[in-house]
Amino acid sequence: QSNLTSTSTSIFTNNLDDISKFLIQSNEEAIELVRIDTTWKISGNDTLVIKTRSMDNLFDKVLKVNRGTIISENSEKYNKYSVDDSTGIHLAVINSKDKTVGYYIFGRSKSDYSRSYVRIGDDPKVYLADENVIYMLSTKESYWGEKPKEDIPTPQINTTTN
């Protein structure tokens, strides 16, 4: 019976406060998010301000997604689960010492859209994640950033009469 139980473990177990960089890659597209002091920035983009909600999703949903049932250990089936090098979405988590502390390849579940598959680091196993977090791992700058909001001056109403 014990081999039939499904365990659920968070994929990221390191210190969230020590993360200084995220690299997200899908096909030929990639984006790098870097923390400078307490502010997150998109590498190579000085015009966009990071959307708080996108970063919150990355920390609170993607890194806290739980790996569950092992779906496969056969590397020849990675393509079927979209977790091979070319079809998966790669996420590297890098700490303040420039060391990779988490590496994941996420794949879309074709049968259950509320979940995704995940490979973790060098582990050959493909796990079923408890949520679909694929859409939170965009390589588009517009997903992560927005133009800064300009303060529009409040018009002064002239109340003096002639």
Side-chain angles (χ1 to χ4, degrees), residues 26-27 78-79 81-90 105-107:
S26 178
N27 296 319
Y78 287 171
N79 189 333
Y81 301 110
S82 301
V83 292
D84 62 348
D85 289 342
S86 59
T87 59
I89 297 175
H90 301 251
I105 302 176
F106 290 91

Side-chain angles (χ1 to χ4, degrees), residues 46-65:
D46 296 334
T47 60
L48 298 180
V49 175
I50 287 284
K51 294 179 188 173
T52 306
R53 183 170 179 185
S54 296
M55 289 308 294
D56 288 348
N57 283 342
L58 188 55
F59 277 94
D60 299 337
K61 294 209 165 58
V62 175
L63 293 181
K64 292 184 179 171
V65 74

